[in-house]
Amino acid sequence: MKRLRVLVLMDPDLIPPDSTEGYSEQQINEWKTEYDVVTTLRTAGHEVRPLGVLDELKLIRDEIEGWKPHVVFILLEQFHGEVIYDQNVASYLELMRIPYTGCKPRGLVLARGKDLSKTLVHYHRIPVPAFAVFPMRRKVRRPAHLSLPLIVKSVSEDSSLGIAQASVVDTDEKLAERVAFIH
């Protein structure tokens, strides 16, 4: 296998040390994914350079132009403090014509909107749980196809962010309260 130069983009606070020795389990858990990716790539024989990125594309450009990685491994979950900007980093790498891991920008945009992604998947006859979107500033009316209990979550929050025990509703009144809270 060809030895690759791999630039690994990550949050600056999550750049892992070279070893876990001397760190508590709690400390290790903060940067475990980053550590595992970097050490696994190095163990596989690749030259790896972690790069902490917060809100400057210039850092990425400088590394690409100076170090000339073969591929960029993206571990960033946000850019400029916003989760929704993750597609911009992928777009930038596309413009730089550098291979990278993960979804293309279009896939990231589609996946970001849970309502749109579920609608597209459902259209292609892939089973998804029943769902409804409740627009802001409108009365919340539970559609007949949705039976209680329900889980109420944001259409745009990343992963399970914003989900709590209160997200599980078992009455129409609680549904309306939780939708108002999410909005």
Side-chain angles (χ1 to χ4, degrees):
M1 178 170 60
K2 179 181 174 187
R3 180 179 161 98
L4 300 175
R5 286 185 304 280
V6 183
L7 180 63
V8 184
L9 304 182
M10 60 188 68
D11 186 288
D13 294 335
L14 301 177
I15 295 176
D18 291 331
S19 167
T20 59
E21 203 169 308
Y23 291 94
S24 70
E25 190 173 326
Q26 183 178 358
Q27 289 172 311
I28 292 169
N29 281 337
E30 291 177 23
W31 36 260
K32 182 169 180 17
T33 298
E34 290 76 5
Y35 177 82
D36 288 347
V37 168
V38 169
T39 56
T40 300
L41 289 168
R42 285 181 176 152
T43 300
H46 303 297
E47 189 177 351
V48 180
R49 186 175 289 184
L51 179 65
V53 177
L54 194 58
D55 58 5
E56 280 191 66
L57 292 173
K58 186 176 182 329
L59 294 172
I60 300 170
R61 182 182 190 113
D62 290 348
E63 285 297 318
I64 290 171
E65 290 177 349
W67 193 51
K68 305 210 182 310
H70 295 103
V71 66
V72 175
F73 198 113
I74 304 175
L75 289 177
L76 289 173
E77 293 189 359
Q78 61 182 354
F79 182 77
H80 212 286
E82 295 287 337
V83 174
I84 61 171
Y85 291 163
D86 61 351
Q87 78 262 7
N88 295 339
V89 175
S91 295
Y92 185 70
L93 295 170
E94 291 267 327
L95 292 172
M96 296 288 294
R97 294 192 170 146
I98 184 86
Y100 59 91
T101 61
C103 278
K104 299 281 186 197
R106 186 175 186 188
L108 291 168
V109 169
L110 290 174
R112 179 72 51 219
K114 293 177 186 72
D115 54 338
L116 178 58
S117 61
K118 283 188 177 197
T119 300
L120 287 170
V121 169
H122 179 74
Y123 174 80
H124 290 285
R125 297 188 178 121
I126 298 171
V128 294
F131 71 97
V133 176
F134 301 100
M136 293 178 76
R137 294 177 285 287
R138 292 206 190 140
K139 185 172 179 164
V140 175
R141 289 197 174 109
R142 179 174 51 89
H145 74 279
L146 289 180
S147 59
L148 296 167
L150 296 170
I151 296 176
V152 180
K153 65 186 287 184
S154 167
V155 294
S156 61
E157 280 292 343
D158 192 41
S159 190
S160 60
L161 289 177
I163 296 179
Q165 187 60 43
S167 302
V168 180
V169 298
D170 56 6
T171 67
D172 287 333
E173 293 78 28
K174 287 181 182 177
L175 172 63
E177 288 172 15
R178 192 63 185 176
V179 168
F181 175 80
I182 294 294
H183 287 165

